[in-house]
Amino acid sequence: MPSRAPTATTNEPESPRRPLSLAARAAIATGFVLAGFLGLVGLTLSQANKERALSALHDRLQNFALAYITNTDVNRYGKLLSPSSDTLPDPNFSRPGSGLYAVAVGEHGYHWESSSAIGRDFSFLKALEPGQSLFVGPIDTRMGRLYYYSYGVALDTDEKGKSVPLTMTVAQTEEQFEGANAAFRHALVIWLSILGVMLIVLQLLLLRWSLTPLRKVASDMSRVEHGDSELLDSQYPLELTGLTERINAFINNEREQRTRYRHTLADLAHSLKTPLAVIRSQLESTAGGEPSLGGSVLAQVRRMDELVAYQLSRAATTGRRTFASAVPIAGHAEDLVQSLEKVYAVKNVLCEFDIEDGAVFYGEQGDLLELMGNLLENAFKWCGHRVLLVVKMQPQAGRQRPGLWLSVEDDGPGIAEEKIEKVLQRGVRGDERVQGHGIGLSIVQDIVHAYQGELVVDRSPEFGGARFSVSLAAS
């Protein structure tokens, strides 16, 4: 059963829920503000309309009462004459149960009702003094809720100095009044809703236009991360210019620092390797005189040379970067294999490729060459005749850059399960009889660790030899 080699993997915690976008936040806030504002506008207009309608009802009932008073007369005996039915101010006064009523109350038990008020109970009405008026409503009565207007007058008689008091009342049911208000409120709700939707759509369009520069920044950042552009080079509004300039300065500074770091390491390697090579050459030429001393010093010099090579490769590893160029893999793989085929020409190795079209490595080209070079060289060294290189891209939803899966298989003897951990240790070779420093796989582990990936060592299902699989997560 294949086993997994110890690797420096990181278990990423479950990412928290992504916050709402600026557009969504603005749309939600605008929706609440508009709902509150239009609600207040609706209430204000509804209340204003109700007061206007109430004032209109007052004027209407008052006009009806004055019209009836005008048509009421007193005979020569001082008795009230009922208003003529031919001069009704509104036809509804002649229809029973129409909801519009007229009632007159005078002295000596005088009582008159319009045809619509016959059979209705108006016992709650009271006589008013001449010149006094009263507008009331809505009040609860046996006929339902009513608004009514009463006006008290004194009608002159033929007898000088004598008048007859009369109180004229005109009433209307609340249903008629509220019916008109309900129609107004319904129309008001519809139009305010339409206005609210139009304002929200307009606000979204304005937000989309206003946030276009931010989307442009995000798009340019994505192009930089994918290696399609070196810097943020678009024209931005004044408010974003400071931000984009600082981002560009950060990108340039990061690249300059890494370049200086690699140059410094290269200078260090050159400075150390030259005197070490001279010392080793001198020791090898004079080792015959004092074999024990020369051999011991020569072994230490070789050990120092190996350490310099390992630490140089390890320190030069840049690791995962936010602004990394996309390095094509196929071309570099062919160059590496051609070089190795010359080195191991005696073995006549057949190296096959299964590289996905467009496969790229997001990082430094040197890291890719170190990673593939060490794995391929190890496979060439241990294989019998065949080597297989497989490269696949692994897209992941919500990630801008896909992951990478790279494996190298051979038809060699393979690695026993109990020896896998030991082989991956620095300075340990799978077979001491095979030439090498024993640091290649350790360098591979350091690169994989720097890119937050995973290295798995198991047996090749196709060739039966060893298989080294590297998985780099999407970012």
Side-chain angles (χ1 to χ4, degrees), residues 340 343-344 347 349-350 373-388 408-416 419 423-424 428-441 457 459 463-468:
L340 290 171
V343 175
Y344 295 91
K347 301 183 69 172
V349 178
L350 173 63
N374 280 291
L375 291 178
L376 287 171
E377 183 180 9
N378 184 75
F380 270 72
K381 184 185 301 183
W382 290 97
C383 74
H385 178 63
R386 301 181 65 186
V387 173
L388 174 62
V408 177
E409 308 177 32
D410 63 68
D411 61 348
I415 303 176
K419 293 184 177 180
V423 168
L424 293 177
V428 177
R429 301 196 296 270
D431 191 336
E432 297 295 334
R433 295 169 296 176
V434 179
Q435 185 178 3
H437 294 162
I439 64 174
L441 295 180
V457 182
R459 189 165 292 277
F463 298 150
R467 179 174 68 173
F468 290 80

Side-chain angles (χ1 to χ4, degrees), residues 93 97-103 114 116-117 120 122 143 146 169-171 173:
F93 286 109
S98 64
L100 190 60
Y101 315 112
V103 178
S114 64
S116 59
R120 306 288 174 173
F122 288 94
M143 299 169 287
L146 293 177
T169 300
V170 180
T173 59

Side-chain angles (χ1 to χ4, degrees), residues 38-55:
L38 294 178
L40 289 176
V41 169
L43 290 175
T44 302
L45 292 178
S46 179
Q47 184 63 28
N49 178 74
K50 184 175 181 180
E51 292 178 359
R52 181 198 59 77
L54 199 60
S55 177

Side-chain angles (χ1 to χ4, degrees), residues 213-225 228-236 240-252 255 323:
L214 288 178
R215 287 195 295 272
K216 181 62 177 174
V217 171
S219 175
D220 290 348
M221 287 284 291
S222 179
R223 292 177 65 247
V224 173
E225 290 180 6
D228 299 330
S229 179
E230 291 292 327
L231 298 171
L232 305 179
D233 53 3
S234 299
Q235 296 295 324
Y236 305 103
L240 295 179
T241 301
L243 172 64
T244 54
E245 288 178 350
R246 285 168 175 78
I247 292 177
N248 283 336
F250 172 76
I251 296 173
N252 285 327
R255 288 172 178 164
F323 307 106

